Amino acid sequence: NRIFQSLAYIEQYKYENGKSYFEKYNSRPKDMINTVLQRYQNNSSDLKVTKEDIPEIVQSVYLLKETLNNSELIKRIEAEKEISRSVEYTLDALMPFYKSISKDNIETIIDLLYNREDFLQTFERSLSTTVNVNNRVGVVNETISKL
């Protein structure tokens, strides 16, 4: 399921007119994931991810999930700010940028994101709303583009 979810976030990511967002995301990640999986089943010609990309995506998911879950910074900030479950939502927001994330820079990216108040605010209420999800990916895009 995590791989399908990651594929959906990669496929639906858009950057237009200076804004990052997930196309056709309507506060229901399952709907977006199902739509993307249907496109794969129908062999749509507009897919971003190819079979050759899958091993790198799986490796990225593993690296991100392991690093995010083991981050003392995230644990501390979640406790201090009384926010929870930020790891999965952070992973979703990071997936469109998997080619820019490596073992060498993941800790820096996490540090930069979790020290941004605009990023942390997306976890305060209704984590999966379209506004919060798109704000989160916007902060990630801005942060990674400055590295």
Side-chain angles (χ1 to χ4, degrees):
N1 186 44
R2 178 71 249 177
I3 300 301
F4 293 142
Q5 188 168 333
S6 296
L7 285 173
Y9 280 93
I10 293 166
E11 287 291 345
Q12 296 303 108
Y13 175 73
K14 299 283 185 205
Y15 181 80
E16 295 176 333
N17 303 320
K19 288 196 75 116
S20 290
Y21 64 97
F22 292 110
E23 185 176 48
K24 297 181 183 170
Y25 182 90
N26 61 0
S27 300
R28 293 189 194 120
K30 253 187 183 175
D31 290 348
M32 184 181 76
I33 294 164
N34 289 337
T35 299
V36 169
L37 290 178
Q38 285 176 340
R39 288 174 48 214
Y40 275 94
Q41 287 178 332
N42 296 332
N43 291 319
S44 293
S45 60
D46 65 338
L47 294 168
K48 295 177 190 173
V49 177
T50 66
K51 287 187 295 190
E52 292 76 21
D53 297 324
I54 301 295
E56 184 179 3
I57 291 169
V58 170
Q59 201 169 33
S60 293
V61 169
Y62 180 77
L63 169 68
L64 288 168
K65 194 147 175 83
E66 180 180 52
T67 307
L68 291 165
N69 281 329
N70 293 324
S71 172
E72 292 302 321
L73 172 66
I74 292 174
K75 290 174 188 172
R76 181 179 53 78
I77 288 175
E78 283 185 339
E80 286 174 7
K81 298 273 188 184
E82 296 181 4
I83 58 176
S84 63
R85 303 180 344 194
S86 69
V87 167
E88 288 299 315
Y89 290 99
T90 300
L91 179 55
D92 292 339
L94 287 166
M95 282 315 302
F97 311 96
Y98 74 96
K99 290 185 179 195
S100 301
I101 299 170
S102 68
K103 286 183 180 184
D104 296 334
N105 68 6
I106 185 62
E107 294 288 341
T108 301
I109 292 168
I110 291 170
D111 185 59
L112 291 169
L113 290 174
Y114 277 82
N115 280 294
R116 286 188 61 160
E117 195 57 38
D118 54 350
F119 184 75
L120 296 175
Q121 285 174 346
T122 69
F123 299 112
E124 290 177 358
R125 272 180 269 149
S126 306
L127 284 67
S128 65
T129 63
T130 304
V131 170
N132 279 335
V133 168
N134 287 333
N135 285 346
R136 202 173 297 129
V137 77
V139 173
V140 169
N141 178 41
E142 185 181 305
T143 301
I144 289 178
S145 67
K146 290 180 179 178
L147 289 180

